[in-house]
Structure formats: C-alpha cells, structure tokens
PDB file of all heavy atoms in Angstrom:
ATOM      1  N   MET A   1      24.259   8.856  18.620  1.00 95.00           N
ATOM      2  CA  MET A   1      25.309   9.977  18.369  1.00 95.00           C
ATOM      3  C   MET A   1      26.376   9.558  17.366  1.00 95.00           C
ATOM      4  O   MET A   1      26.687  10.335  16.441  1.00 95.00           O
ATOM      5  CB  MET A   1      25.961  10.385  19.658  1.00 95.00           C
ATOM      6  CG  MET A   1      24.977  11.028  20.680  1.00 95.00           C
ATOM      7  SD  MET A   1      24.280  12.604  20.018  1.00 95.00           S
ATOM      8  CE  MET A   1      22.661  11.964  19.612  1.00 95.00           C
ATOM      9  N   PHE A   2      26.799   8.364  17.540  1.00 96.00           N
ATOM     10  CA  PHE A   2      27.803   7.768  16.538  1.00 96.00           C
ATOM     11  C   PHE A   2      27.335   7.752  15.067  1.00 96.00           C
ATOM     12  O   PHE A   2      27.947   8.238  14.161  1.00 96.00           O
ATOM     13  CB  PHE A   2      28.267   6.386  16.929  1.00 96.00           C
ATOM     14  CG  PHE A   2      29.125   5.728  15.897  1.00 96.00           C
ATOM     15  CD1 PHE A   2      30.487   6.117  15.729  1.00 96.00           C
ATOM     16  CD2 PHE A   2      28.587   4.695  15.092  1.00 96.00           C
ATOM     17  CE1 PHE A   2      31.284   5.426  14.724  1.00 96.00           C
ATOM     18  CE2 PHE A   2      29.359   4.110  14.190  1.00 96.00           C
ATOM     19  CZ  PHE A   2      30.631   4.461  14.033  1.00 96.00           C
ATOM     20  N   LEU A   3      26.117   7.146  14.862  1.00 96.00           N
ATOM     21  CA  LEU A   3      25.518   6.998  13.723  1.00 96.00           C
ATOM     22  C   LEU A   3      25.192   8.422  12.994  1.00 96.00           C
ATOM     23  O   LEU A   3      25.365   8.609  11.803  1.00 96.00           O
ATOM     24  CB  LEU A   3      24.158   6.237  13.723  1.00 96.00           C
ATOM     25  CG  LEU A   3      24.409   4.723  14.006  1.00 96.00           C
ATOM     26  CD1 LEU A   3      23.061   4.018  14.256  1.00 96.00           C
ATOM     27  CD2 LEU A   3      25.209   4.092  12.994  1.00 96.00           C
ATOM     28  N   LEU A   4      24.692   9.398  13.812  1.00 96.00           N
ATOM     29  CA  LEU A   4      24.436  10.679  13.368  1.00 96.00           C
ATOM     30  C   LEU A   4      25.732  11.360  12.858  1.00 96.00           C
ATOM     31  O   LEU A   4      25.792  11.903  11.828  1.00 96.00           O
ATOM     32  CB  LEU A   4      23.674  11.571  14.341  1.00 96.00           C
ATOM     33  CG  LEU A   4      22.271  11.248  14.576  1.00 96.00           C
ATOM     34  CD1 LEU A   4      21.721  11.992  15.885  1.00 96.00           C
ATOM     35  CD2 LEU A   4      21.350  11.592  13.386  1.00 96.00           C
ATOM     36  N   ALA A   5      26.716  11.295  13.691  1.00 97.00           N
ATOM     37  CA  ALA A   5      28.055  11.849  13.360  1.00 97.00           C
ATOM     38  C   ALA A   5      28.599  11.240  12.045  1.00 97.00           C
ATOM     39  O   ALA A   5      29.108  11.904  11.172  1.00 97.00           O
ATOM     40  CB  ALA A   5      29.043  11.770  14.507  1.00 97.00           C
ATOM     41  N   ALA A   6      28.607   9.869  12.117  1.00 97.00           N
ATOM     42  CA  ALA A   6      29.105   9.146  10.811  1.00 97.00           C
ATOM     43  C   ALA A   6      28.305   9.490   9.603  1.00 97.00           C
ATOM     44  O   ALA A   6      28.852   9.600   8.472  1.00 97.00           O
ATOM     45  CB  ALA A   6      29.071   7.625  11.151  1.00 97.00           C
ATOM     46  N   GLY A   7      27.074   9.654   9.720  1.00 97.00           N
ATOM     47  CA  GLY A   7      26.198   9.971   8.668  1.00 97.00           C
ATOM     48  C   GLY A   7      26.461  11.380   8.025  1.00 97.00           C
ATOM     49  O   GLY A   7      26.473  11.525   6.823  1.00 97.00           O
ATOM     50  N   VAL A   8      26.670  12.382   8.932  1.00 97.00           N
ATOM     51  CA  VAL A   8      26.886  13.752   8.579  1.00 97.00           C
ATOM     52  C   VAL A   8      28.292  13.724   7.799  1.00 97.00           C
ATOM     53  O   VAL A   8      28.440  14.365   6.684  1.00 97.00           O
ATOM     54  CB  VAL A   8      26.937  14.756   9.727  1.00 97.00           C
ATOM     55  CG1 VAL A   8      27.464  16.085   9.298  1.00 97.00           C
ATOM     56  CG2 VAL A   8      25.503  14.809  10.327  1.00 97.00           C
ATOM     57  N   ILE A   9      29.292  13.062   8.365  1.00 98.00           N
ATOM     58  CA  ILE A   9      30.650  12.973   7.807  1.00 98.00           C
ATOM     59  C   ILE A   9      30.593  12.372   6.355  1.00 98.00           C
ATOM     60  O   ILE A   9      31.165  12.762   5.324  1.00 98.00           O
ATOM     61  CB  ILE A   9      31.623  12.253   8.668  1.00 98.00           C
ATOM     62  CG1 ILE A   9      31.891  13.068   9.978  1.00 98.00           C
ATOM     63  CG2 ILE A   9      32.915  12.125   7.982  1.00 98.00           C
ATOM     64  CD1 ILE A   9      32.603  12.367  11.039  1.00 98.00           C
ATOM     65  N   SER A  10      29.842  11.223   6.268  1.00 98.00           N
ATOM     66  CA  SER A  10      29.745  10.481   5.059  1.00 98.00           C
ATOM     67  C   SER A  10      28.965  11.354   3.954  1.00 98.00           C
ATOM     68  O   SER A  10      29.396  11.411   2.819  1.00 98.00           O
ATOM     69  CB  SER A  10      28.860   9.261   5.295  1.00 98.00           C
ATOM     70  OG  SER A  10      29.591   8.372   6.104  1.00 98.00           O
ATOM     71  N   LEU A  11      27.910  12.064   4.454  1.00 97.00           N
ATOM     72  CA  LEU A  11      27.227  12.998   3.444  1.00 97.00           C
ATOM     73  C   LEU A  11      28.251  14.023   2.947  1.00 97.00           C
ATOM     74  O   LEU A  11      28.164  14.287   1.876  1.00 97.00           O
ATOM     75  CB  LEU A  11      26.069  13.653   4.300  1.00 97.00           C
ATOM     76  CG  LEU A  11      25.283  14.825   3.512  1.00 97.00           C
ATOM     77  CD1 LEU A  11      24.679  14.208   2.246  1.00 97.00           C
ATOM     78  CD2 LEU A  11      24.321  15.372   4.439  1.00 97.00           C
ATOM     79  N   ALA A  12      29.018  14.625   3.788  1.00 98.00           N
ATOM     80  CA  ALA A  12      29.963  15.654   3.401  1.00 98.00           C
ATOM     81  C   ALA A  12      30.948  15.146   2.421  1.00 98.00           C
ATOM     82  O   ALA A  12      31.266  15.719   1.374  1.00 98.00           O
ATOM     83  CB  ALA A  12      30.645  16.267   4.625  1.00 98.00           C
ATOM     84  N   ILE A  13      31.523  13.949   2.688  1.00 97.00           N
ATOM     85  CA  ILE A  13      32.517  13.265   1.843  1.00 97.00           C
ATOM     86  C   ILE A  13      31.907  12.978   0.486  1.00 97.00           C
ATOM     87  O   ILE A  13      32.498  13.292  -0.563  1.00 97.00           O
ATOM     88  CB  ILE A  13      33.257  12.130   2.476  1.00 97.00           C
ATOM     89  CG1 ILE A  13      33.912  12.463   3.763  1.00 97.00           C
ATOM     90  CG2 ILE A  13      34.065  11.312   1.467  1.00 97.00           C
ATOM     91  CD1 ILE A  13      34.395  11.313   4.563  1.00 97.00           C
ATOM     92  N   LEU A  14      30.747  12.426   0.544  1.00 97.00           N
ATOM     93  CA  LEU A  14      30.114  11.986  -0.743  1.00 97.00           C
ATOM     94  C   LEU A  14      29.865  13.280  -1.599  1.00 97.00           C
ATOM     95  O   LEU A  14      29.932  13.268  -2.876  1.00 97.00           O
ATOM     96  CB  LEU A  14      28.834  11.180  -0.513  1.00 97.00           C
ATOM     97  CG  LEU A  14      28.971   9.828   0.046  1.00 97.00           C
ATOM     98  CD1 LEU A  14      27.612   9.205   0.465  1.00 97.00           C
ATOM     99  CD2 LEU A  14      29.592   8.903  -1.089  1.00 97.00           C
ATOM    100  N   ALA A  15      29.423  14.345  -0.926  1.00 96.00           N
ATOM    101  CA  ALA A  15      29.065  15.585  -1.668  1.00 96.00           C
ATOM    102  C   ALA A  15      30.360  16.164  -2.237  1.00 96.00           C
ATOM    103  O   ALA A  15      30.389  16.582  -3.441  1.00 96.00           O
ATOM    104  CB  ALA A  15      28.405  16.551  -0.652  1.00 96.00           C
ATOM    105  N   LEU A  16      31.434  16.134  -1.484  1.00 96.00           N
ATOM    106  CA  LEU A  16      32.713  16.737  -1.978  1.00 96.00           C
ATOM    107  C   LEU A  16      33.337  15.917  -3.087  1.00 96.00           C
ATOM    108  O   LEU A  16      33.948  16.459  -3.992  1.00 96.00           O
ATOM    109  CB  LEU A  16      33.712  16.791  -0.812  1.00 96.00           C
ATOM    110  CG  LEU A  16      33.500  17.845   0.314  1.00 96.00           C
ATOM    111  CD1 LEU A  16      34.471  17.583   1.502  1.00 96.00           C
ATOM    112  CD2 LEU A  16      33.563  19.258  -0.254  1.00 96.00           C
ATOM    113  N   LYS A  17      32.956  14.597  -3.091  1.00 94.00           N
ATOM    114  CA  LYS A  17      33.511  13.782  -4.186  1.00 94.00           C
ATOM    115  C   LYS A  17      32.558  13.833  -5.348  1.00 94.00           C
ATOM    116  O   LYS A  17      32.735  13.141  -6.413  1.00 94.00           O
ATOM    117  CB  LYS A  17      33.588  12.342  -3.717  1.00 94.00           C
ATOM    118  CG  LYS A  17      34.798  12.160  -2.757  1.00 94.00           C
ATOM    119  CD  LYS A  17      34.951  10.677  -2.448  1.00 94.00           C
ATOM    120  CE  LYS A  17      36.221  10.361  -1.616  1.00 94.00           C
ATOM    121  NZ  LYS A  17      36.345   8.877  -1.371  1.00 94.00           N
ATOM    122  N   GLY A  18      31.391  14.629  -5.299  1.00 93.00           N
ATOM    123  CA  GLY A  18      30.591  14.732  -6.467  1.00 93.00           C
ATOM    124  C   GLY A  18      29.700  13.603  -6.663  1.00 93.00           C
ATOM    125  O   GLY A  18      29.224  13.378  -7.742  1.00 93.00           O
ATOM    126  N   GLN A  19      29.436  12.813  -5.662  1.00 93.00           N
ATOM    127  CA  GLN A  19      28.566  11.577  -5.795  1.00 93.00           C
ATOM    128  C   GLN A  19      27.127  11.807  -6.028  1.00 93.00           C
ATOM    129  O   GLN A  19      26.460  10.967  -6.521  1.00 93.00           O
ATOM    130  CB  GLN A  19      28.756  10.617  -4.598  1.00 93.00           C
ATOM    131  CG  GLN A  19      30.242  10.069  -4.465  1.00 93.00           C
ATOM    132  CD  GLN A  19      30.612   9.222  -5.680  1.00 93.00           C
ATOM    133  OE1 GLN A  19      29.887   8.309  -5.951  1.00 93.00           O
ATOM    134  NE2 GLN A  19      31.765   9.517  -6.292  1.00 93.00           N
ATOM    135  N   PHE A  20      26.787  12.999  -5.654  1.00 93.00           N
ATOM    136  CA  PHE A  20      25.334  13.377  -5.831  1.00 93.00           C
ATOM    137  C   PHE A  20      25.025  14.150  -7.164  1.00 93.00           C
ATOM    138  O   PHE A  20      23.779  14.434  -7.417  1.00 93.00           O
ATOM    139  CB  PHE A  20      24.869  14.233  -4.643  1.00 93.00           C
ATOM    140  CG  PHE A  20      24.879  13.488  -3.307  1.00 93.00           C
ATOM    141  CD1 PHE A  20      25.847  13.900  -2.434  1.00 93.00           C
ATOM    142  CD2 PHE A  20      24.127  12.399  -3.104  1.00 93.00           C
ATOM    143  CE1 PHE A  20      25.895  13.218  -1.176  1.00 93.00           C
ATOM    144  CE2 PHE A  20      24.212  11.779  -1.863  1.00 93.00           C
ATOM    145  CZ  PHE A  20      25.224  12.153  -0.871  1.00 93.00           C
ATOM    146  N   LYS A  21      26.055  14.333  -7.979  1.00 88.00           N
ATOM    147  CA  LYS A  21      25.890  15.107  -9.183  1.00 88.00           C
ATOM    148  C   LYS A  21      25.149  14.217 -10.160  1.00 88.00           C
ATOM    149  O   LYS A  21      25.408  13.017 -10.280  1.00 88.00           O
ATOM    150  CB  LYS A  21      27.229  15.499  -9.796  1.00 88.00           C
ATOM    151  CG  LYS A  21      27.848  16.690  -8.955  1.00 88.00           C
ATOM    152  CD  LYS A  21      29.109  17.136  -9.648  1.00 88.00           C
ATOM    153  CE  LYS A  21      29.772  18.339  -8.872  1.00 88.00           C
ATOM    154  NZ  LYS A  21      31.110  18.665  -9.475  1.00 88.00           N
ATOM    155  N   ARG A  22      24.262  14.811 -10.961  1.00 82.00           N
ATOM    156  CA  ARG A  22      23.554  13.988 -11.873  1.00 82.00           C
ATOM    157  C   ARG A  22      24.378  13.748 -13.006  1.00 82.00           C
ATOM    158  O   ARG A  22      25.191  14.538 -13.589  1.00 82.00           O
ATOM    159  CB  ARG A  22      22.295  14.825 -12.368  1.00 82.00           C
ATOM    160  CG  ARG A  22      21.417  13.990 -13.285  1.00 82.00           C
ATOM    161  CD  ARG A  22      20.089  14.943 -13.574  1.00 82.00           C
ATOM    162  NE  ARG A  22      19.282  14.167 -14.520  1.00 82.00           N
ATOM    163  CZ  ARG A  22      18.027  14.580 -14.939  1.00 82.00           C
ATOM    164  NH1 ARG A  22      17.691  15.830 -14.493  1.00 82.00           N
ATOM    165  NH2 ARG A  22      17.320  13.913 -15.699  1.00 82.00           N
ATOM    166  N   GLU A  23      24.367  12.487 -13.498  1.00 73.00           N
ATOM    167  CA  GLU A  23      25.265  12.002 -14.695  1.00 73.00           C
ATOM    168  C   GLU A  23      24.836  12.772 -15.869  1.00 73.00           C
ATOM    169  O   GLU A  23      23.566  12.805 -16.252  1.00 73.00           O
ATOM    170  CB  GLU A  23      25.197  10.504 -14.809  1.00 73.00           C
ATOM    171  CG  GLU A  23      25.755   9.803 -13.608  1.00 73.00           C
ATOM    172  CD  GLU A  23      25.671   8.304 -13.807  1.00 73.00           C
ATOM    173  OE1 GLU A  23      25.191   7.910 -14.949  1.00 73.00           O
ATOM    174  OE2 GLU A  23      26.126   7.587 -12.891  1.00 73.00           O
ATOM    175  N   LYS A  24      25.739  13.374 -16.643  1.00 69.00           N
ATOM    176  CA  LYS A  24      25.400  13.925 -17.872  1.00 69.00           C
ATOM    177  C   LYS A  24      25.332  12.922 -18.999  1.00 69.00           C
ATOM    178  O   LYS A  24      26.257  12.240 -19.298  1.00 69.00           O
ATOM    179  CB  LYS A  24      26.495  15.080 -18.289  1.00 69.00           C
ATOM    180  CG  LYS A  24      26.502  16.309 -17.270  1.00 69.00           C
ATOM    181  CD  LYS A  24      27.508  17.294 -17.756  1.00 69.00           C
ATOM    182  CE  LYS A  24      27.536  18.444 -16.644  1.00 69.00           C
ATOM    183  NZ  LYS A  24      28.509  19.459 -17.132  1.00 69.00           N
ATOM    184  N   THR A  25      24.139  12.951 -19.656  1.00 63.00           N
ATOM    185  CA  THR A  25      23.994  11.980 -20.812  1.00 63.00           C
ATOM    186  C   THR A  25      23.444  12.831 -21.997  1.00 63.00           C
ATOM    187  O   THR A  25      22.642  13.749 -21.814  1.00 63.00           O
ATOM    188  CB  THR A  25      22.972  10.871 -20.500  1.00 63.00           C
ATOM    189  OG1 THR A  25      21.746  11.472 -20.047  1.00 63.00           O
ATOM    190  CG2 THR A  25      23.611   9.975 -19.374  1.00 63.00           C
ATOM    191  N   GLU A  26      23.914  12.411 -23.202  1.00 54.00           N
ATOM    192  CA  GLU A  26      23.434  13.140 -24.395  1.00 54.00           C
ATOM    193  C   GLU A  26      22.049  12.564 -24.630  1.00 54.00           C
ATOM    194  O   GLU A  26      21.886  11.416 -25.001  1.00 54.00           O
ATOM    195  CB  GLU A  26      24.454  12.871 -25.559  1.00 54.00           C
ATOM    196  CG  GLU A  26      25.767  13.534 -25.318  1.00 54.00           C
ATOM    197  CD  GLU A  26      26.671  13.240 -26.518  1.00 54.00           C
ATOM    198  OE1 GLU A  26      26.176  12.797 -27.557  1.00 54.00           O
ATOM    199  OE2 GLU A  26      27.824  13.650 -26.461  1.00 54.00           O
ATOM    200  N   THR A  27      21.093  13.419 -24.563  1.00 58.00           N
ATOM    201  CA  THR A  27      19.710  13.010 -24.754  1.00 58.00           C
ATOM    202  C   THR A  27      19.121  13.842 -25.956  1.00 58.00           C
ATOM    203  O   THR A  27      19.288  15.007 -26.090  1.00 58.00           O
ATOM    204  CB  THR A  27      18.817  13.230 -23.583  1.00 58.00           C
ATOM    205  OG1 THR A  27      18.858  14.654 -23.222  1.00 58.00           O
ATOM    206  CG2 THR A  27      19.267  12.372 -22.434  1.00 58.00           C
ATOM    207  N   GLU A  28      18.450  13.099 -26.872  1.00 59.00           N
ATOM    208  CA  GLU A  28      17.799  13.680 -27.988  1.00 59.00           C
ATOM    209  C   GLU A  28      16.438  14.148 -27.633  1.00 59.00           C
ATOM    210  O   GLU A  28      15.785  13.477 -26.882  1.00 59.00           O
ATOM    211  CB  GLU A  28      17.739  12.668 -29.144  1.00 59.00           C
ATOM    212  CG  GLU A  28      16.957  13.125 -30.318  1.00 59.00           C
ATOM    213  CD  GLU A  28      16.748  12.070 -31.314  1.00 59.00           C
ATOM    214  OE1 GLU A  28      17.095  10.859 -31.031  1.00 59.00           O
ATOM    215  OE2 GLU A  28      16.126  12.283 -32.448  1.00 59.00           O
ATOM    216  N   PHE A  29      16.093  15.297 -28.135  1.00 61.00           N
ATOM    217  CA  PHE A  29      14.680  15.766 -27.833  1.00 61.00           C
ATOM    218  C   PHE A  29      13.678  14.866 -28.536  1.00 61.00           C
ATOM    219  O   PHE A  29      13.723  14.664 -29.685  1.00 61.00           O
ATOM    220  CB  PHE A  29      14.464  17.305 -28.375  1.00 61.00           C
ATOM    221  CG  PHE A  29      13.013  17.719 -28.291  1.00 61.00           C
ATOM    222  CD1 PHE A  29      12.585  18.034 -27.070  1.00 61.00           C
ATOM    223  CD2 PHE A  29      12.400  17.802 -29.379  1.00 61.00           C
ATOM    224  CE1 PHE A  29      11.186  18.456 -26.928  1.00 61.00           C
ATOM    225  CE2 PHE A  29      11.019  18.255 -29.348  1.00 61.00           C
ATOM    226  CZ  PHE A  29      10.441  18.547 -28.076  1.00 61.00           C
ATOM    227  N   VAL A  30      12.778  14.407 -27.729  1.00 63.00           N
ATOM    228  CA  VAL A  30      11.749  13.525 -28.233  1.00 63.00           C
ATOM    229  C   VAL A  30      10.386  14.070 -27.958  1.00 63.00           C
ATOM    230  O   VAL A  30       9.971  14.142 -26.784  1.00 63.00           O
ATOM    231  CB  VAL A  30      11.843  12.088 -27.546  1.00 63.00           C
ATOM    232  CG1 VAL A  30      10.765  11.099 -28.100  1.00 63.00           C
ATOM    233  CG2 VAL A  30      13.299  11.494 -27.731  1.00 63.00           C
ATOM    234  N   PRO A  31       9.632  14.460 -28.962  1.00 67.00           N
ATOM    235  CA  PRO A  31       8.264  14.928 -28.741  1.00 67.00           C
ATOM    236  C   PRO A  31       7.301  13.800 -28.466  1.00 67.00           C
ATOM    237  O   PRO A  31       7.678  12.703 -28.735  1.00 67.00           O
ATOM    238  CB  PRO A  31       7.975  15.555 -30.166  1.00 67.00           C
ATOM    239  CG  PRO A  31       8.819  14.824 -31.162  1.00 67.00           C
ATOM    240  CD  PRO A  31      10.074  14.484 -30.440  1.00 67.00           C
ATOM    241  N   TYR A  32       6.252  14.196 -27.709  1.00 72.00           N
ATOM    242  CA  TYR A  32       5.265  13.123 -27.426  1.00 72.00           C
ATOM    243  C   TYR A  32       5.870  12.053 -26.513  1.00 72.00           C
ATOM    244  O   TYR A  32       5.459  10.908 -26.526  1.00 72.00           O
ATOM    245  CB  TYR A  32       4.631  12.506 -28.653  1.00 72.00           C
ATOM    246  CG  TYR A  32       4.090  13.540 -29.651  1.00 72.00           C
ATOM    247  CD1 TYR A  32       4.749  13.840 -30.837  1.00 72.00           C
ATOM    248  CD2 TYR A  32       2.991  14.269 -29.303  1.00 72.00           C
ATOM    249  CE1 TYR A  32       4.242  14.753 -31.668  1.00 72.00           C
ATOM    250  CE2 TYR A  32       2.426  15.135 -30.161  1.00 72.00           C
ATOM    251  CZ  TYR A  32       3.055  15.422 -31.339  1.00 72.00           C
ATOM    252  OH  TYR A  32       2.579  16.401 -32.212  1.00 72.00           O
ATOM    253  N   LYS A  33       6.755  12.495 -25.665  1.00 85.00           N
ATOM    254  CA  LYS A  33       7.389  11.565 -24.690  1.00 85.00           C
ATOM    255  C   LYS A  33       6.394  11.414 -23.508  1.00 85.00           C
ATOM    256  O   LYS A  33       5.809  12.346 -23.026  1.00 85.00           O
ATOM    257  CB  LYS A  33       8.629  12.152 -24.250  1.00 85.00           C
ATOM    258  CG  LYS A  33       9.507  11.192 -23.339  1.00 85.00           C
ATOM    259  CD  LYS A  33      10.809  11.974 -23.015  1.00 85.00           C
ATOM    260  CE  LYS A  33      11.661  11.199 -21.987  1.00 85.00           C
ATOM    261  NZ  LYS A  33      12.991  11.777 -21.739  1.00 85.00           N
ATOM    262  N   ASN A  34       6.318  10.236 -22.965  1.00 92.00           N
ATOM    263  CA  ASN A  34       5.510  10.032 -21.778  1.00 92.00           C
ATOM    264  C   ASN A  34       6.021  10.787 -20.598  1.00 92.00           C
ATOM    265  O   ASN A  34       7.188  10.711 -20.219  1.00 92.00           O
ATOM    266  CB  ASN A  34       5.438   8.468 -21.439  1.00 92.00           C
ATOM    267  CG  ASN A  34       4.605   7.734 -22.421  1.00 92.00           C
ATOM    268  OD1 ASN A  34       3.450   8.079 -22.765  1.00 92.00           O
ATOM    269  ND2 ASN A  34       5.068   6.578 -22.836  1.00 92.00           N
ATOM    270  N   SER A  35       5.120  11.475 -19.952  1.00 92.00           N
ATOM    271  CA  SER A  35       5.531  12.217 -18.747  1.00 92.00           C
ATOM    272  C   SER A  35       5.652  11.297 -17.572  1.00 92.00           C
ATOM    273  O   SER A  35       5.171  10.221 -17.607  1.00 92.00           O
ATOM    274  CB  SER A  35       4.473  13.313 -18.386  1.00 92.00           C
ATOM    275  OG  SER A  35       3.325  12.714 -18.044  1.00 92.00           O
ATOM    276  N   PHE A  36       6.237  11.843 -16.482  1.00 94.00           N
ATOM    277  CA  PHE A  36       6.542  11.044 -15.360  1.00 94.00           C
ATOM    278  C   PHE A  36       5.085  10.562 -14.669  1.00 94.00           C
ATOM    279  O   PHE A  36       4.914   9.441 -14.376  1.00 94.00           O
ATOM    280  CB  PHE A  36       7.236  11.887 -14.277  1.00 94.00           C
ATOM    281  CG  PHE A  36       7.536  11.242 -12.975  1.00 94.00           C
ATOM    282  CD1 PHE A  36       8.639  10.398 -12.822  1.00 94.00           C
ATOM    283  CD2 PHE A  36       6.726  11.414 -11.829  1.00 94.00           C
ATOM    284  CE1 PHE A  36       8.878   9.811 -11.630  1.00 94.00           C
ATOM    285  CE2 PHE A  36       6.993  10.801 -10.564  1.00 94.00           C
ATOM    286  CZ  PHE A  36       8.178   9.981 -10.575  1.00 94.00           C
ATOM    287  N   GLY A  37       4.120  11.513 -14.693  1.00 95.00           N
ATOM    288  CA  GLY A  37       2.815  11.180 -14.244  1.00 95.00           C
ATOM    289  C   GLY A  37       2.090  10.086 -14.956  1.00 95.00           C
ATOM    290  O   GLY A  37       1.412   9.250 -14.493  1.00 95.00           O
TER     291      GLY A  37
END
C-alpha cells in the first residue's frame, strides 16, 4: 500500500514537473535513414 501510494504520488509530481516530456532537438531531415525495425 505504501509503495503504490508513493508511486502514484511520484508519478503525478514527475508529470507536473514535465519530466516525461520529450526533449526538443533540432533534427535535420535525413532521407534513407535506417528505420527502427
């Protein structure tokens, strides 16, 4: 119960602080780039 409560609170705080936002990086369009697969 403690770990679940602490986890939910931590999740909320991290989300409010924007910790899950993807970092914006300037990327150049590269043709013939290797796909993830």
Side-chain angles (χ1 to χ4, degrees):
M1 291 301 101
F2 169 75
L3 291 174
L4 285 171
V8 172
I9 293 171
S10 298
L11 172 61
I13 294 174
L14 289 170
L16 289 172
K17 288 187 173 183
Q19 294 297 307
F20 298 112
K21 290 182 179 179
R22 187 174 180 179
E23 296 179 2
K24 293 182 179 180
T25 55
E26 294 184 3
T27 55
E28 177 188 2
F29 171 72
V30 179
Y32 307 105
K33 184 179 179 181
N34 286 318
S35 66
F36 183 82

